[in-house]
Amino acid sequence: MGLIVQKFGGTSVADAPRIHRAARRAIAAKEAGNQVVVVVSAMGETTDHLIDLAKQVCEYGDCRGPSPKREMDQLLVTGEQVTIALMAMAIHAQGCQAISFTGGQIGLVTDAAFSKARIQSIEKQRVFEQLEKGKIVIIAGFQGMTPQGDFTTLGRGGSNATLVAIGAVLKADVCENYTDVDGIFTADPRLVPNARKIDRISYDEMLELAGRGASVLQTRAVEFAKKYNVPIHVRNSQNDNEGTWIVSETANMEHIVVSGAALKKELTRVTIKNVPDRPGIAARIFGDIAAGNIVVDDIIQNVMDDRTANISFTVERGELGDLKVVVERIVKELGQAKATYQDGLAKVSVVGVGMRVHTGVAQRMFAALADAKINIQNITTSEIKISCIIDEADGPRALRLVHDAFELHKLK
Ligand code: ASP
Ligand code: MG
């Protein structure tokens, strides 16, 4: 007998039949002798519709204000709240006991960074009490509550963070992540038709893939899983196939040079020129940006002959509104500095723990792009990843080219 946390994403609970199918899975796991906790997302595209509705209201007529973040979260948490109640009803209707909870009801406390709050603690007692009574416990994904009692959300795709956090505090044997695909693929199969399902992948590889645009799992969720060593099994809610296991690294994983490729679109590069070349300036700039809860990557600094520096970095287009406010303030304070913004960029990456022991990986990637006359604008690397910033228009083609270059379709 074990403890299983299952999570069903939006498509897996999109309508009554699917909710019943998910309920049946939870019941099957229970009947196999396990304690079962189920985390659910909002049904289908509910979250997108709510975001659109907010936009309609906030941009009505001459109104131009962005929606206040606190109210946005107040709105978005309703999506998951609908699903938990319906899921509990479906389990009851199938003759089993269940009880549903919002994030706040199980003491899932977060900081007050609305729209991308971080989980601080969870009161597991309430969940355990119900499990011990033999009930299946249903928990709303993607949401939490500040110590003051305000609703927060954990960022898009945040139900995965809930899944893993719950799995970690309850010390679950496995976190099962049910989606509408068979697992994690060597690249997005919608862009690369011959992409293959990966059987096992390490946390670190998954982190690099998630951060580079493979959207199945949020980065934060994987970080959490790694920290608490919770295995995640990503699988299809429509069939019983084995999916992809995300686990600690094992020695034989290094045999594979590259495990996957990913494309991240909608990037903007910010360049701040004429920055004084003195100790402490970069710390100031990125300190202010981090204080605004804005995620940046691919930071590049060049020092010029006149003792000034150019600093550039990329952000997701969605962050630009918040970021510009911070950057323009910094530029003003630095005096002669000037910021420019270049839109329409994408990043193609290859990832694999095998890069630590194999050579020539970067050259192979650059050659594949060069042969197709795709211009590489920036290059960044980590121990297990190589990324190239390119024109967004070249993105999907670049992804297919590097996937072919490393013969990822043949991976086993
Ligand atoms: N419903 C939220 C979203 O669509 C959270 C999730 O699905 O994980 O982003
Ligand atoms: Mg969703």
Side-chain angles (χ1 to χ4, degrees):
M1 153 146 174
L3 199 161
I4 299 182
V5 187
Q6 302 183 323
K7 177 231 147 185
F8 295 93
T11 43
S12 306
V13 291
D15 50 29
R18 285 172 203 241
I19 289 177
H20 267 285
R21 209 172 304 155
R24 214 172 302 137
R25 266 192 198 271
I27 293 172
K30 175 95 177 55
E31 286 176 346
N34 301 292
Q35 292 186 313
V36 180
V37 176
V38 178
V39 174
V40 288
S41 295
M43 293 170 67
E45 255 126 56
T46 304
T47 308
D48 291 322
H49 292 158
L50 291 172
I51 290 170
D52 185 56
L53 203 53
K55 200 163 169 240
Q56 286 179 42
V57 169
C58 294
E59 296 180 3
Y60 184 74
D62 291 336
C63 310
R64 274 289 163 269
S67 35
K69 286 195 167 152
R70 178 185 180 279
E71 304 312 323
M72 207 54 208
D73 280 3
Q74 190 87 314
L75 175 68
L76 294 188
V77 295
T78 61
E80 273 68 16
Q81 202 169 333
V82 169
T83 324
I84 53 170
L86 295 176
M87 181 63 75
M89 290 175 198
I91 292 175
H92 277 280
Q94 291 188 36
C96 242
Q97 296 275 315
I99 181 165
S100 72
F101 292 117
T102 62
Q105 284 174 320
I106 53 152
L108 195 155
V109 173
T110 71
D111 60 17
F114 296 109
S115 84
K116 42 189 155 185
R118 284 187 176 269
I119 300 175
Q120 291 176 333
S121 57
I122 300 175
E123 277 164 35
K124 54 189 175 208
Q125 213 35 49
R126 191 135 195 221
V127 177
F128 275 131
E129 271 165 26
Q130 297 300 326
L131 288 174
E132 259 133 48
K133 286 185 186 154
K135 292 187 188 172
I136 296 176
V137 176
I138 319 292
I139 296 171
F142 176 55
Q143 58 170 262
M145 205 172 249
T146 65
Q148 289 73 36
D150 285 325
F151 288 119
T152 51
T153 64
L154 310 177
R156 293 307 307 269
S159 299
N160 291 321
T162 312
L163 164 73
V164 178
I166 299 276
V169 296
L170 300 183
K171 299 199 165 46
D173 295 290
V174 57
C175 288
E176 293 185 335
N177 187 334
Y178 286 98
T179 76
D180 55 348
V181 291
D182 277 335
I184 310 289
F185 281 70
T186 49
D188 183 342
R190 287 167 300 187
L191 299 175
V192 183
N194 62 358
R196 289 177 34 96
K197 192 199 81 190
I198 301 170
D199 293 335
R200 290 168 78 78
I201 187 166
S202 69
Y203 293 124
D204 286 327
E205 287 169 314
M206 195 58 226
L207 272 173
E208 292 285 10
L209 283 175
R212 312 298 134 191
S215 58
V216 181
L217 266 185
Q218 229 194 359
T219 313
R220 235 179 235 193
V222 186
E223 276 168 1
F224 225 88
K226 180 184 173 193
K227 186 162 167 203
Y228 294 98
N229 200 11
V230 188
I232 306 178
H233 186 188
V234 178
R235 50 194 307 200
N236 196 328
S237 61
Q238 310 301 314
N239 61 44
D240 286 323
N241 301 345
E242 276 282 299
T244 302
W245 284 87
I246 307 169
V247 292
S248 304
E249 190 176 329
T250 54
N252 60 5
M253 283 179 177
E254 283 189 346
H255 295 320
I256 301 168
V257 184
V258 167
S259 315
L263 180 68
K264 192 164 179 180
K265 291 184 280 192
E266 305 195 344
L267 296 179
T268 300
R269 180 168 51 228
V270 183
T271 305
I272 310 180
K273 285 195 180 140
N274 243 335
V275 176
D277 180 28
R278 282 192 254 118
I281 296 285
R284 260 282 314 284
I285 294 177
F286 293 103
D288 285 4
I289 293 172
N293 270 308
I294 301 159
V295 179
V296 306
D297 57 6
D298 301 317
I299 301 170
I300 297 175
Q301 167 170 290
N302 291 311
V303 176
M304 306 289 131
D305 288 338
D306 63 355
R307 301 224 44 213
T308 65
N310 292 350
I311 295 181
S312 63
F313 51 91
T314 51
V315 292
E316 288 176 28
R317 195 174 299 154
E319 301 270 31
L320 205 56
D322 288 352
L323 181 76
K324 267 193 178 163
V325 177
V326 179
V327 168
E328 293 307 323
R329 194 184 62 225
I330 295 170
V331 162
K332 215 180 213 165
E333 286 170 18
L334 291 178
Q336 80 277 43
K338 196 172 174 309
T340 53
Y341 304 87
Q342 192 194 339
D343 210 4
L345 300 175
K347 178 159 61 178
V348 63
S349 309
V350 296
V351 170
V353 290
M355 280 182 209
R356 291 200 201 108
V357 292
H358 293 86
T359 54
V361 182
Q363 188 274 336
R364 200 148 140 199
M365 175 169 187
F366 302 154
L369 297 176
D371 288 348
K373 305 246 171 329
I374 293 176
N375 187 37
I376 303 172
Q377 303 191 22
N378 294 349
I379 297 165
T380 49
T381 60
S382 81
E383 211 189 356
I384 63 164
K385 175 221 72 179
I386 301 165
S387 296
C388 299
I389 300 275
I390 54 174
D391 265 349
E392 194 162 18
D394 290 327
R397 191 163 59 102
L399 184 66
R400 283 190 289 273
L401 286 165
V402 299
H403 194 272
D404 281 349
F406 290 99
E407 303 190 315
L408 297 185
H409 59 285
K410 288 187 190 158
L411 212 71
K412 188 66 217 172

